[in-house]
Amino acid sequence: MRRAGRPGVIGVAARTAVVAGTATAVSGRVSRHQAERAAAQQTVEQPGAPVAAGPPPTQGPSGGPSGGLTDEALSALERLGKLREQGVLTDTEFAVQKDRILRG
């Protein structure tokens, strides 16, 4: 005979698995986010490091950028800009990710 209101062994095991899986996913995401912030902060805080300036972008026939920017890169930059406007990314994180996209 089963008691009413208390989960059985299978219910407890399932709940434990869900809680453990959620905790692992959240922990991994937090760790990754902290590592990205630390990397972005480290690149900003190097006062003696020279700033590498690439060649100036060239203009295509329509007045827009030419050459290396693909449609995927442009859409990624647009999504990145929206995330910064929404406050999801800081200016530093935005700059790091933008640089990553532009370098290909």
Side-chain angles (χ1 to χ4, degrees):
M1 185 172 219
R2 185 173 169 202
R3 291 188 194 172
R6 299 184 77 179
V9 173
I10 294 175
V12 170
R15 184 179 317 186
T16 302
V18 168
V19 170
T22 302
T24 302
V26 170
S27 174
R29 186 176 177 117
V30 168
S31 295
R32 187 173 54 249
H33 184 68
Q34 287 174 344
E36 289 171 357
R37 280 191 173 215
Q41 188 71 22
Q42 190 175 31
T43 58
V44 170
E45 289 183 359
Q46 295 177 351
V51 177
T58 58
Q59 296 288 321
S62 63
S66 67
L69 289 180
T70 63
D71 290 342
E72 291 87 8
L74 289 173
S75 65
L77 288 171
E78 288 174 355
R79 286 191 311 266
L80 201 61
K82 288 178 185 176
L83 289 173
R84 185 177 76 176
E85 289 174 6
Q86 294 170 353
V88 175
L89 294 175
T90 65
D91 289 342
T92 305
E93 291 169 324
F94 172 80
V96 169
Q97 293 301 319
K98 181 179 94 175
D99 186 50
R100 182 185 59 82
I101 291 169
L102 292 175
R103 291 181 191 265

